[in-house]
């Protein structure tokens, strides 16, 4: 499903092009939370640039439920392939204002700089 790599101050999660259910998304994100805790960090960078699966409303809702209600994470950077996606996620993050601060980026260097600033 995803490749997880511990970086200096955050956990990098490189997502694949998986077609999953909302329940599988819930399990996956809970495991990301546990992996970050084991790594001793509260910051995660999700690299979703390679995820071109179809938009599924309940799967998408599950990701936002995790970020706004369930997570132990404090900062989440999301790498996306298109500026339109970056804008959409950033506007949604502002509207939802969840437990984790979420910000989307088109490039890894900007995302890493933002994670380090927190």
């Amino acid at each position: 499903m995803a490749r997880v790599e511990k970086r200096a101050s955050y956990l990098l999660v490189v997502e694949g092009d998986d077609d999953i259910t909302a329940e599988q998304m819930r399990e996956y994100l809970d495991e990301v939370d546990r992996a970050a805790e084991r790594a001793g960090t509260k910051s995660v960078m999700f690299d979703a640039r390679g995820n071109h699966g179809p938009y599924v409303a309940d799967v998408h809702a599950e990701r936002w439920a995790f970020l706004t209600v369930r997570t132990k994470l404090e900062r989440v950077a999301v790498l996306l392939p298109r500026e339109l996606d970056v804008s959409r996620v950033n506007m949604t993050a502002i509207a939802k204002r969840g437990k984790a601060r979420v910000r989307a980026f088109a490039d890894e260097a900007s995302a890493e700089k933002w994670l380090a600033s927190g």
Side-chain angles (χ1 to χ4, degrees):
M1 180 184 285
R3 178 176 55 87
V4 178
E5 180 182 320
K6 172 68 172 104
R7 296 281 177 95
S9 62
Y10 65 92
L11 198 66
L12 172 66
V13 179
V14 180
E15 297 185 334
D17 199 12
D18 300 321
D19 187 15
I20 63 174
T21 66
E23 183 177 333
Q24 290 168 320
M25 176 61 79
R26 185 177 315 110
E27 292 168 3
Y28 157 67
L29 292 170
D30 288 343
E31 180 53 38
V32 168
D33 237 5
R34 289 188 293 272
E37 189 172 32
R38 287 190 302 271
T41 186
K42 291 190 180 269
S43 297
V44 170
M45 182 187 304
F46 287 98
D47 185 344
R49 293 175 293 186
N51 187 343
H52 304 291
Y55 175 87
V56 179
D58 61 339
V59 174
H60 184 75
E62 186 58 44
R63 187 182 291 270
W64 280 108
F66 169 77
L67 294 170
T68 58
V69 178
R70 291 195 330 268
T71 190
K72 297 174 189 167
L73 301 174
E74 293 175 358
R75 290 176 82 85
V76 175
V78 182
L79 296 175
L80 297 167
R82 298 182 319 227
E83 285 296 330
L84 181 61
D85 296 330
V86 169
S87 296
R88 181 181 42 80
V89 167
N90 285 335
M91 299 217 20
T92 302
I94 289 169
K96 292 192 177 283
R97 297 185 195 266
K99 290 180 78 172
R101 290 186 60 204
V102 179
R103 186 147 174 221
F105 300 87
D107 68 279
E108 190 169 340
S110 297
E112 195 167 66
K113 182 177 177 181
W114 179 77
L115 284 174
S117 72

